[in-house]
């Protein structure tokens, strides 16, 4: 076959396939709009059955988790489960925005991993707003300025985010979801950075810690300067020729920086877990987690009597953290996560027993396990 014959055969085959894609796209668009119409009807029903003066809750995390899990379970490919679920994540985000746009505050500034987590959980149709500190995220939700908040809670290499745990001691908000994000750190430079003159590296203290070995090897003499957030680090280096920043890709895009070295975190499976906070408790989704806060007197055997009921009733613990209580000098507060929902019988029994030996027990929330 001559070169021109082969080219026209290629064009003909591509033409047929693209005609098929065009036809399917129209059908998909039609189906998407049918789905959106159903979501609008769902909103009308919710509105119709709300009590007088009751605030209608449109966002249903347990239902969203069920929709995404079902899509992943039934997926026949060739798209990967996660990829397909991500598309449906955005589809539900757009459908929910038709019912009522969701407002979400997150620990900013723009370009942080927490913004990435907020978009991963709520999709791009949510109205997000950045807050300067974790306490401000809690306050915005408590004041009803936004419906939900997103805050970091633990990192696989650096451990818990104490500010977040401490805020739960005084807040009445509920945890209504969790997000897990793989964290990739990058060394960012600006267009004025002199590559052989980098003497200062800015980042959040946790990110500096996550890249400690890489920094020891590649920039052993550079001063490491901890700032409030990775995005703040990215912003700072714009005018400093001798500085670089460690931050995520979103920050690089938002501040117009170049990624000089990518994926520089010491642990390749570095990930951060974020919590969604809101005013409403979430019904069971079928695969849930619960977080509680328990204050214990500092006496011998306290930890054993706290943990024993979970074993007795077959409830799996996923995390136990201790923080000094801010009220009593020698008492401690335990933050405990376990598998299951407070509506489940085994969980109810375990909690009743814990309640008997604790000086205080607060259920922070039951919520669907992260799907994506
Ligand atoms: O099922 C509902 O309650 C809906 O509002 C519909 C829908 C969806 O698009 O599937 C939209 C938003 C909710 O957060 C959950 C699901």
């Amino acid at each position: 076959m001559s070169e021109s014959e082969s080219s026209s055969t290629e064009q003909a085959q591509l033409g047929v396939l693209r005609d098929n894609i065009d036809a399917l796209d129209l059908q998909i668009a039609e189906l998407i709009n049918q789905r959106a119409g159903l979501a609008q009807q769902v909103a009308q029903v919710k509105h119709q059955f709300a009590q007088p003066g009751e605030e209608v809750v449109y966002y249903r995390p347990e239902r969203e988790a069920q929709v995404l899990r079902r899509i992943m379970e039934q997926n026949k490919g060739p798209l990967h489960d996660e990829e397909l679920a991500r598309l449906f994540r955005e589809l539900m985000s757009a459908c929910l925005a038709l019912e009522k746009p969701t407002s979400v505050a997150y620990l900013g500034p723009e370009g942080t991993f927490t913004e990435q987590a907020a978009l991963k959980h709520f999709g791009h149709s949510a109205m997000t707003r950045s807050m300067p500190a974790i306490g401000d995220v809690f306050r915005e939700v408590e004041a009803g300025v936004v419906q939900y908040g997103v805050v970091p809670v633990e990192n696989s290499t650096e451990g818990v985010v104490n500010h977040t745990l401490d805020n739960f001691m005084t807040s009445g908000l509920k945890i209504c979801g969790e997000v897990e994000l793989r964290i990739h750190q990058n060394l960012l430079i600006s267009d004025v950075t002199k590559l052989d003159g980098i003497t200062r590296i800015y980042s959040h203290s946790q990110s500096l810690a996550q890249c400690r070995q890489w920094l020891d090897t590649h920039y052993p003499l550079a001063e490491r300067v901890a700032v409030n957030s990775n995005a703040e680090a990215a912003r700072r280096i714009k005018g400093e020729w001798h500085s670089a920043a460690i931050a995520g890709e979103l920050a690089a895009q938002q501040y117009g920086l170049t990624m000089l070295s990518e994926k520089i975190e010491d642990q390749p499976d570095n990930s951060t877990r974020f919590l969604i906070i809101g005013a409403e408790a979430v019904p069971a989704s079928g695969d849930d987690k619960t977080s509680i806060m328990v204050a214990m007197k500092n006496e011998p055997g306290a930890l054993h009597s706290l943990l024993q009921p979970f074993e007795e009733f077959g409830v799996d613990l996923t995390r136990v953290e201790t923080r000094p209580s801010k009220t009593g000098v020698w008492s401690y507060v335990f933050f405990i996560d376990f598998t299951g929902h407070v509506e489940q019988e085994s969980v109810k029994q375990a909690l009743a027993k814990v309640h008997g030996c604790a000086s205080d027990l607060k259920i922070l929330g039951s919520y669907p396990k992260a799907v994506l």
Side-chain angles (χ1 to χ4, degrees), residues 187 201 212-222 261 264:
L187 190 74
I201 296 178
R212 191 178 296 127
Q213 286 169 27
W214 188 90
L215 286 169
D216 288 347
T217 309
H218 295 88
Y219 292 92
L221 300 178
S261 304
I264 61 170

Side-chain angles (χ1 to χ4, degrees), residues 77 104 108 116 169 193 197 201 207 214-215 324 349 372:
V104 181
Q116 222 170 299
M169 292 194 197
T193 312
I201 296 178
S207 302
W214 188 90
L215 286 169
Q349 286 177 321
L372 282 173

